[in-house]
Amino acid sequence: MNRGRLTSFLSLMIAMAFSTSVFGQSVDPELRAALKRTVNEASSFEDRFEAEVWLVDMSSRMSRYIKDPNKRLELLKKVHREATRAGVEPELVLSVIHIESLFDRFAISRVGAQGLMQVMPFWKNEIGRPTDNLTSVDTNLRYGCTILKHYIDREKGDLIRALARYNGSLGKTWYPEKVLTAWEKYWFVNNI
């Protein structure tokens, strides 16, 4: 799709999110209000248009996992903020969350990893904050994105090795392959 057609398509998506009727079907006013509020509060985007496009796109992709549009948009805003702060692609973070917890902030693994990004509790003691709540979305994303970025840097951008380190399976490729497949299938954005 060329840039002009892509811009037209994205403009239509945004119009759909903000209008009351598209193609004869009414658009959920609650979603429209939530999106408008979220775009206005989203500080990690370069501009409003980028925020609108990304939030509408990712919200539609995430709707099968989180039904409430307000919760979806709030999570997306937080993911974008923390990923951007850490210097990690937000869509990669969404892919990690998809594989780790399927967007369940209260998920706990059989080895004790907690929250959206399945952060191991020992990290709280390592940084001297034993009372942090890893099921708090903000806390979990801050830990998870920081840890992921550290491993990406440590492995000089090699996502296979970085993701394996993140999962504790260095030397194996099953986990990185799952995350990268989810990224490609569900979350990848082709920036033309």
Side-chain angles (χ1 to χ4, degrees):
M1 184 178 284
N2 68 32
R3 195 172 208 29
R5 290 180 70 192
L6 178 62
T7 301
S8 297
F9 172 73
L10 294 175
S11 296
L12 176 62
M13 287 179 62
I14 292 165
M16 288 172 60
F18 286 110
S19 70
T20 56
S21 177
V22 176
F23 304 121
Q25 295 183 346
S26 64
V27 175
D28 183 349
E30 183 182 346
L31 173 58
R32 186 176 60 253
L35 182 60
K36 191 171 189 177
R37 183 176 57 255
T38 303
V39 166
N40 289 331
E41 296 170 355
S43 61
S44 62
F45 293 91
E46 289 185 26
D47 60 39
R48 182 185 165 112
F49 180 74
E50 178 194 1
E52 290 172 355
V53 170
W54 193 83
L55 289 166
V56 168
D57 183 17
M58 292 300 127
S59 180
S60 67
R61 296 178 194 208
M62 188 183 281
S63 63
R64 70 173 67 162
Y65 307 109
I66 299 175
K67 300 300 179 197
D68 183 317
N70 290 312
K71 289 179 181 176
R72 242 184 357 252
L73 291 169
E74 189 62 28
L75 176 59
L76 286 167
K77 182 176 74 170
K78 290 176 179 188
V79 166
H80 196 277
R81 181 189 67 225
E82 288 303 322
T84 301
R85 184 200 60 77
V88 179
E89 293 289 329
E91 300 83 10
L92 177 61
V93 173
L94 288 169
S95 303
V96 168
I97 293 169
H98 185 154
I99 298 305
E100 288 289 354
S101 67
L102 202 59
F103 300 95
D104 178 2
R105 67 176 271 209
F106 298 108
I108 299 177
S109 76
R110 60 180 171 76
V111 296
Q114 299 176 6
L116 291 170
M117 294 187 74
Q118 291 291 278
V119 175
M120 290 297 290
F122 74 80
W123 284 111
K124 297 188 302 181
N125 293 328
E126 288 292 318
I127 65 169
R129 296 180 56 137
T131 60
D132 279 354
N133 178 358
L134 293 176
T135 62
S136 160
V137 171
D138 292 316
T139 302
N140 193 274
L141 290 172
R142 176 68 54 102
Y143 273 73
C145 289
T146 302
I147 293 164
L148 182 57
K149 175 61 172 168
H150 171 76
Y151 289 140
I152 291 170
D153 290 348
R154 183 172 179 178
E155 295 299 338
K156 298 175 179 53
D158 183 335
L159 289 180
I160 298 290
R161 290 184 57 83
L163 288 166
R165 279 194 185 279
Y166 184 87
N167 175 257
S169 60
L170 187 61
K172 297 181 173 86
T173 61
W174 63 269
Y175 175 79
E177 288 170 357
K178 285 174 73 170
V179 171
L180 294 175
T181 298
W183 191 8
E184 181 181 331
K185 187 174 180 181
Y186 299 105
W187 308 107
F188 185 76
V189 174
N190 188 3
N191 295 322
I192 298 173

